[in-house]
Amino acid sequence: MKILVTGGAGFIGSHTCVELLEAGHDIVVVDNLVNSSRKAIEAVQGITGRKFPFYEYDLLDKAACKEIFEQNTIDAVIHFAGLKAVGESVEKPLLYYRNNLGSTLNLLELMRDYSVNSIVFSSSATVYGAEASIPYVESMPRGKATSPYGASKQMIEQMLEDQVVAEAGFSAVLLRYFNPIGAHESGEIGEDPNGIPNNLLPYVAQVASGKLEQIGVFGNDYPTRDGTGVRDYIHVTDLARGHVVALEKKAAQPGVHLYNLGAGRGYSVLEVVDAFSTAVGRKLPYKIMPRRAGDLPEYYADPVKAKNELGWQSEYDIGRMCADTWRWQQKHPNGFEEE
Ligand code: NAD
Ligand code: WQD
């Protein structure tokens, strides 16, 4: 299949490009590099030994993106492109709605105009909302969004569901990711946040490398086994492979196909710090801080549907996730910036 990967220079997109190419698919990538680097594209080509077209276009520029559909016969789209910082979305909701919804509308209109009938969308566990019971199961309704970012994911899920009703033959795979971490085993691609990281793993990695002084643990008084927040961390390569199987099994089946992509078990913040300390070979310093506003105590996936219907489950454990993150951090201490 020839797959258009939007946001393919990003963290999850670049890893998925590697897995698609290694599974024998052809890809075309579009990314405006607002949160990524052209070097990720070069690294994907280096890892796989394969070249592919890359368009540095903004999906909000529909006229430019039309060229991609004119110049390539696309069989299916994997849609990663979007802004994803939860806190920033609270400060700049219009930016998030404009970018995430506007991009998706342009993409769906182009798909309609060029008769491309399959899309796989990067959704999120956040669509279950704050009140959902754990583990999260796909049969649960979407809850009340906890941020404009989360609301944009819910709205896009709805758009895709409506498009399935309206367009005969349309297939929409909604993949709800839990907490993707890790990096490609080569250490040549990985998560490359701008400035001080908001998320746990990149923060811990930068403490390990000496860029940051100590880990701040946001709260140790949650009703969890050690009082710190519990999340379902999943290796980004496992996640990427989930996209390949979802596409291969569901792209040609009209309808809405909804799957959690998680490991199905949670780790606490202190367990993650321990696992990373083991990967590094020394205890990493941390300090207990107040809770972070908006954080939930604990959630993880029920991963059974993906296992039964796609034959997919995560393979890599937390030790491997930390070891791969650490390899990427050591090889590229400044991410894709000049070292
Ligand atoms: P990322 O920021 O690394 O990748 C997103 C890519 O989209 C970036 O390369 C960015 O430059 C590009 N982009 C953004 N707006 C664009 C536009 N208008 N036109 C073209 N390109 C644009 O993020 P990621 O972690 O790889 O996430 C990929 C997708 O998965 C996102 O939609 C995100 O919301 C979703 N997701 C991520 C997580 C996570 O924890 N990383 C969890 C759940 C869902
Ligand atoms: C994990 C745990 C923190 C940083 C976010 C989005 C979510 C999804 C994935 C896109 C929590 C604790 C963190 C730190 C800490 N993205 N923590 N110190 O918040 O679970 O999920 O990314 O859809 O929507 O909200 O991820 O990595 O920020 O936090 O103690 O410096 O680590 O409190 O318990 P989160 P995270």
Side-chain angles (χ1 to χ4, degrees), residues 11-12 31-32 34-36 58-59 80 84 99 149 153 180:
F11 172 45
I12 306 169
D31 197 305
N32 65 356
V34 65
N35 195 39
S36 52
D58 191 325
L59 283 168
F80 293 104
K84 64 161 182 179
N99 190 71
Y149 166 74
K153 291 292 175 196

Side-chain angles (χ1 to χ4, degrees), residues 36-44 188-189 336-339:
S36 52
S37 164
R38 186 178 283 273
K39 291 208 176 120
I41 299 290
E42 290 160 11
V44 169
E188 297 303 337
I189 51 174
F336 290 112
E337 275 171 36
E338 288 303 332
E339 272 133 35

Side-chain angles (χ1 to χ4, degrees), residues 6-14 30-37 57-60 79-84 99-100 103 121-125 149 153 175-180 191 199:
T6 79
F11 172 45
I12 306 169
S14 57
V30 57
D31 197 305
N32 65 356
L33 305 182
V34 65
N35 195 39
S36 52
S37 164
Y57 291 168
D58 191 325
L59 283 168
L60 292 177
H79 183 33
F80 293 104
L83 298 175
K84 64 161 182 179
N99 190 71
N100 293 0
S103 294
F121 172 60
S122 298
S123 192
S124 166
Y149 166 74
K153 291 292 175 196
L175 299 179
R176 294 177 174 169
Y177 313 154
F178 283 69
N179 285 53
E191 191 168 8
N199 298 112

